[in-house]
């Protein structure tokens, strides 16, 4: 059968993008222990901004892409400064509910500014598909995968090897100690939010390139929750590998379970996996095992 | 002039109706509520019913989120489970509405337990994430389990009857809603005075301390979750019998967020707050609807912005109240009331 390599390839490609978006979740969670449930809306917004810059000013893709990244970074900083910072010290459930409210605002605004109909990106990547011999990869998927990998590598490198990354890791490990070492925890928070907004926006642009842009693009943001639960809420390696696993399982389910269960399994399988993981291993594959049974 | 309450025992402090004054106003409120169908238009009665369902759902969610400190992102899905269970019991099994309503609540609670048992065991955000997963899984089940739910075609539900009485209008159904709201609110208000209710609050404030004081965290969190799902199920059962039809699109993720918004705007951990929040968040879209219908004559195409405007306003309300008034409308109400009782010597 040739169908299996095909499924594996598209699963891995989708998984790469999931990993990138999951990285945004993990960065915020590590630095501020907040789950950003507005990630999906960041993605949609990023994709729409990129599309608008490209179509309105007929700018080349790389200009639009850089503009989108700058916009996302700014958005992340503004949101952190105006909404999240007053809530430092509040119970964590208030902070999570604020991100839900934020998501609702952004979704509504996106809907108002850009009408809800489906659009497709102007062709950016060379259209010829990549032929691997055993499977043919559509160009959108292969380029999307490449982009996702490059960005994941960049952010992982920043986090692992630079001074900024060190400050972020120190803050994640203990905020008060980090503060006493002269690290500005506030700017680390702002930085984490802007990094997360950038990863989400890049993820949105990639997904928009592969499957078109609509307001439902952001639903993937919630699906990615299963990736970070699988990989471990605080693990970057886990986010990347978890992305591949979820991408693969979802694509296999889409092919093999859809005929049995009547369609739409691709959307629901990640959530089923999520529930199973919480049952057997709530800290994920690579997460820290600090499970308090209280 | 009344200036404050002297209380000499804890029993007095825990009274639901603190003064004769409060009792008087409550009786007046009930007289108004009971006589409402006599003079109100069908549209007002429709809104009153919707508010009633929202109050029941919000009181349930507030017991879990406001009092026990656990977030549920799948409240709408559990409302859906209750709605579908009630509808299926009435149409397929032939159970009378009155029993089916409570069975629907029980089924919603049972489904809730399946989701909650693993995630309640561990500390942290896992219940929040698991209920989010439950929301999407259950939505999928509503659409795709066609043999049971008839998919997107939905199920038609006959109106409830009692002897020769048929509750098929907004006016008559209102009395069912009113009774259920009174039961739901009364139960929640009383529960919070009991050992269980205080245990919930203790868990929210400091789970470790609560456990040391001998509260079984697992059992209490689970009880809170089951109770909130039961409330959701009842709200769902009433909703489908009122609408006379149940289809999957009534229970989206955005509805779950609406319920969270209700309790945040109303006041977390306060029964009165759930009621305020439910009324407020039901009236805002209705008002928006009226306004956009009115403005349509001046700005064509405005009515298409109704749904996104609703989302923006809901989100803005959530953010605004969490940042500026975390105790919600209930706290504003208390402040206003106190400044009146102590007037002109309030400080």
């Amino acid at each position: 059968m040739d169908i299996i390599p095909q499924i594996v390839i598209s699963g891995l490609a989708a998984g790469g993008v999931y990993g990138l978006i999951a990285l945004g979740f993990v960065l915020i969670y590590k630095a501020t222990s907040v789950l950003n449930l507005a990630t999906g809306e960041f993605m949609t917004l990023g994709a729409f901004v990129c599309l608008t810059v490209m179509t309105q000013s007929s700018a080349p893709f790389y200009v639009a892409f850089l503009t989108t990244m700058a916009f996302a970074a700014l958005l992340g900083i503004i949101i952190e400064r105006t909404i999240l910072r007053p809530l430092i010290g509040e119970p964590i459930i208030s902070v999570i509910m604020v991100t839900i409210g934020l998501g609702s605002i952004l979704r509504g605004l996106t809907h108002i500014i850009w009408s809800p109909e489906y659009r497709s990106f102007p062709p950016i990547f060379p259209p010829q598909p990549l032929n691997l011999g055993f499977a043919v990869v559509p160009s959108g998927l292969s380029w999307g995968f490449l982009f996702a990998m490059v960005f994941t590598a960049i952010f992982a490198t920043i986090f692992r090897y630079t001074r900024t990354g060190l400050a972020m890791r120190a803050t994640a490990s203990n905020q008060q100690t980090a503060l006493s070492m002269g690290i500005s925890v506030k700017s680390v928070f702002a930085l984490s939010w802007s990094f997360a907004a950038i990863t989400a926006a890049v993820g949105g642009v990639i997904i928009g390139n592969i499957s078109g842009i609509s307001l439902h693009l952001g639903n993937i943001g919630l699906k990615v929750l299963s990736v970070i639960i699988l990989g471990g809420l605080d693990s970057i390696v886990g986010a990347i590998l978890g992305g591949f696993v979820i991408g693969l399982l979802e694509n296999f389910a889409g092919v093999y379970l859809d005929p049995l269960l009547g369609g739409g399994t691709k959307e629901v399988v990640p959530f089923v996996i999520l529930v199973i993981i919480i049952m057997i291993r709530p800290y994920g594959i690579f997460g820290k095992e600090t499970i308090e049974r209280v | 002039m009344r200036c404050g309450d002297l209380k000499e025992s804890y029993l007095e402090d825990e009274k639901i109706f603190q003064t004769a004054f409060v009792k008087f106003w409550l009786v007046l409120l009930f007289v108004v509520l009971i006589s409402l169908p006599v003079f109100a238009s069908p549209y007002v009665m429709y809104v009153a019913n919707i508010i009633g369902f929202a109050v029941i759902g919000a009181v349930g969610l507030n017991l879990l989120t406001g009092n026990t400190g656990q977030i549920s992102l799948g409240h709408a899905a559990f409302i859906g489970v209750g709605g579908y269970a009630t509808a299926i019991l009435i149409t397929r099994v032939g159970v009378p509405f009155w029993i089916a309503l409570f069975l629907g609540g029980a089924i919603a609670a049972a489904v809730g337990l399946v989701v909650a048992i693993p995630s309640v065991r561990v500390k942290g955000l896992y219940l929040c994430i698991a209920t989010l997963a439950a929301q999407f899984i259950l939505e999928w089940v509503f659409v795709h389990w066609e043999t049971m739910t008839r998919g997107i075609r939905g199920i038609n539900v006959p109106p409830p009857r009692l002897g020769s009485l048929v509750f098929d209008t907004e006016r008559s159904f209102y009395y069912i809603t009113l009774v259920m709201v009174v039961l739901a609110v009364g139960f929640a208000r009383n529960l919070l005075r009991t050992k269980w209710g205080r245990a919930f609050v203790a868990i929210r404030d400091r789970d470790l301390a609560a456990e040391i004081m001998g509260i079984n965290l697992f059992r209490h969190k689970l009880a809170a979750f089951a109770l909130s799902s039961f409330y959701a199920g009842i709200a769902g059962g009433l909703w489908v019998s009122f609408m006379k039809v149940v289809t999957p699109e009534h229970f989206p993720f955005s509805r779950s967020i609406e319920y969270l918004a209700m309790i945040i705007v109303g006041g977390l951990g306060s029964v009165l707050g759930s009621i305020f929040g439910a009324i407020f968040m039901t009236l805002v879209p209705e008002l928006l609807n009226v306004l956009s219908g009115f403005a349509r004559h001046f700005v064509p195409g405005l009515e298409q912005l109704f749904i996104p405007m609703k989302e923006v306003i809901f989100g803005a309300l959530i953010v605004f109240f969490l940042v500026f008034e975390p105790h919600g409308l209930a706290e504003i109400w208390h402040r206003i009331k106190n400044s009146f009782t102590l007037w002109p010597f309030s400080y």
Side-chain angles (χ1 to χ4, degrees):
Chain A
M1 293 290 285
D2 323 290
I3 191 167
I4 288 180
Q6 200 69 51
I7 301 171
V8 170
I9 293 292
S10 53
L12 286 178
V17 184
Y18 290 172
L20 178 66
I21 299 161
L23 191 66
F25 270 107
V26 172
L27 285 178
I28 290 192
Y29 185 81
K30 275 181 91 95
T32 64
S33 46
V34 171
L35 269 185
N36 175 19
L37 293 179
T39 301
E41 282 70 31
F42 282 9
M43 288 170 57
T44 323
L45 202 58
F48 270 114
V49 167
C50 188
L51 179 72
T52 310
V53 173
M54 280 185 74
T55 50
Q56 296 295 318
S57 66
S58 61
F61 174 66
Y62 66 91
V63 175
F65 194 66
L66 289 176
T67 318
T68 310
M69 281 172 61
F71 172 82
L74 199 66
L75 182 75
I77 290 172
I78 291 173
I79 285 170
E80 197 279 333
R81 189 70 193 84
T82 54
I83 298 179
L84 274 305
R85 197 167 296 172
L87 287 174
I88 288 179
E90 293 282 320
I92 208 77
I93 67 165
S94 316
V95 187
I96 288 175
M97 288 190 288
V98 155
T99 66
I100 295 172
L102 188 68
S104 189
I105 296 176
L106 290 179
R107 193 164 52 241
L109 285 179
T110 318
H111 190 158
I112 291 174
I113 299 173
W114 295 277
S115 53
E117 70 258 20
Y118 173 89
R119 304 138 206 251
S120 55
F121 250 89
I124 300 164
F125 304 126
Q128 63 270 30
L130 184 65
N131 198 338
L132 290 179
F134 57 91
V136 180
V137 193
S139 87
L141 272 183
S142 53
W143 282 98
F145 178 75
L146 201 67
F147 256 74
M149 283 301 97
V150 167
F151 272 90
T152 310
I154 290 174
F155 280 109
T157 312
I158 291 176
F159 200 67
R160 191 85 194 80
Y161 295 109
T162 62
R163 271 180 81 82
T164 321
L166 189 63
M168 290 172 83
R169 275 182 292 146
T171 312
S173 141
N174 190 325
Q175 286 181 14
Q176 284 183 1
T177 316
L179 208 55
S180 70
M181 296 291 176
I183 292 167
S184 165
V185 171
K186 282 179 183 166
S187 56
V188 168
F189 280 13
L191 204 63
S192 325
W193 273 89
S194 63
F195 275 12
I198 292 175
T199 55
V202 172
V205 171
I206 294 172
I207 301 233
N209 259 305
I210 295 173
S211 53
I213 304 180
S214 72
L215 289 175
H216 302 292
L217 188 100
N219 293 353
I220 291 170
L222 294 174
K223 220 168 25 171
V224 167
L225 273 175
S226 60
V227 172
I228 54 168
I229 293 290
L230 173 69
L233 268 173
D234 51 3
S235 163
I236 289 184
V237 182
I240 296 161
L241 288 182
F244 289 130
V245 175
I246 297 286
L248 282 176
L249 286 175
E250 158 189 297
N251 270 287
F252 272 106
V255 173
Y256 289 104
L257 291 182
D258 259 6
L260 299 177
L261 296 173
T265 42
K266 235 177 139 174
E267 303 307 313
V268 77
V269 156
F271 291 110
V272 175
I273 298 168
L274 193 161
V275 172
I276 295 171
I277 307 275
I278 291 183
M279 270 180 205
I280 53 180
R281 201 177 159 88
Y283 39 86
I285 302 173
F286 297 98
K288 248 191 306 177
E289 287 191 40
T290 46
I291 294 302
E292 293 177 65
R293 291 195 185 271
V294 290
Chain B
M1 191 182 73
R2 202 172 82 90
C3 60
D5 300 322
L6 173 68
K7 287 161 192 156
E8 295 184 312
S9 67
Y10 282 119
L11 213 61
E12 273 180 61
D13 195 38
E14 292 219 321
K15 266 188 193 165
I16 289 183
F17 310 115
Q18 297 265 352
T19 56
F21 197 65
V22 173
K23 274 184 204 164
F24 168 75
W25 282 111
L26 265 182
V27 169
L28 203 67
L29 176 69
F30 269 108
V31 171
V32 171
L33 282 180
I34 288 171
S35 56
L36 189 63
V38 179
F39 51 83
S41 69
Y43 173 69
V44 173
M45 292 320 297
Y46 166 82
V47 175
N49 274 297
I50 301 291
I51 288 178
F53 311 146
V55 166
I56 297 174
V59 167
L61 184 63
N62 213 344
L63 283 175
L64 178 74
T65 305
N67 292 104
T68 321
Q70 312 287 316
I71 305 179
S72 168
L73 290 177
H75 208 59
F78 295 115
I79 291 177
V81 173
Y84 269 107
T86 310
I88 290 166
L89 283 170
I90 292 175
T91 52
R92 292 276 179 91
V93 192
V95 180
F97 167 79
W98 314 99
I99 301 169
L101 182 64
F102 288 96
L103 281 180
I107 291 171
V111 174
L113 285 184
V114 174
V115 178
I117 284 174
S119 47
V120 160
R121 274 184 318 158
V122 286
K123 189 181 172 176
L125 307 169
Y126 293 99
L127 183 70
C128 162
I129 299 168
T131 48
L132 180 84
Q135 168 78 41
F136 288 102
I137 295 173
L138 287 172
E139 257 184 76
W140 185 84
V141 170
F142 294 154
V143 177
H144 286 96
W145 195 15
E146 295 215 359
T147 49
M148 226 27 175
T149 65
R150 290 172 43 86
I152 46 171
R153 282 166 300 162
I155 306 173
N156 292 316
V157 187
R161 1 175 127 249
L162 191 67
S164 61
L165 269 175
V166 185
F167 297 89
D168 58 350
T169 62
E170 286 91 354
R171 278 172 215 279
S172 49
F173 202 93
Y174 172 74
Y175 287 104
I176 301 179
T177 312
L178 188 62
V179 169
M180 291 310 295
V181 167
V182 170
L183 284 178
V185 170
F187 182 79
R189 191 74 182 77
N190 274 297
L191 179 77
L192 292 177
R193 302 193 300 165
T194 62
K195 188 180 159 196
W196 281 78
R198 279 195 298 267
F200 289 167
V201 176
I203 292 172
R204 176 195 65 191
D205 288 344
R206 199 91 182 98
D207 44 8
L208 271 178
E211 185 156 45
I212 289 166
M213 283 189 282
I215 295 168
N216 183 333
L217 290 183
F218 178 62
R219 187 184 295 165
H220 282 83
K221 280 188 195 171
L222 217 54
F225 192 80
L227 193 62
S228 110
S229 305
F230 181 79
Y231 269 81
I234 296 284
L238 287 172
W239 166 276
V240 301
S241 309
F242 178 68
M243 293 295 179
K244 304 190 183 74
V245 68
V246 49
T247 52
E249 69 262 28
H250 286 309
F251 315 105
F253 180 53
S254 56
R255 182 60 55 82
S256 292
I257 294 173
E258 246 176 80
Y259 273 96
L260 269 180
M262 281 178 202
I263 61 169
I264 291 167
V265 168
L268 288 169
S270 145
V271 176
L272 187 67
S274 327
I275 300 171
F276 283 159
I279 295 173
F280 188 76
M281 296 308 265
T282 316
L283 286 184
V284 164
E286 293 298 330
L287 202 69
L288 211 62
N289 211 350
V290 172
L291 277 181
S292 70
F294 182 68
R296 194 177 50 201
H297 303 297
F298 309 106
V299 192
L302 195 71
E303 66 272 15
Q304 284 165 8
L305 294 181
F306 171 63
I307 292 170
M309 278 304 282
K310 199 173 109 177
E311 273 180 326
V312 172
I313 290 176
F314 276 20
L317 282 169
I318 293 180
V319 173
F320 176 84
F321 272 89
L322 280 173
V323 174
F324 296 106
E325 189 63 72
H327 297 289
L329 291 173
E331 179 63 25
I332 296 176
W333 166 255
H334 279 301
R335 263 204 315 262
I336 293 171
K337 215 172 60 174
N338 282 344
S339 73
F340 269 107
T341 37
L342 300 178
W343 191 83
F345 299 116
S346 64
Y347 49 88

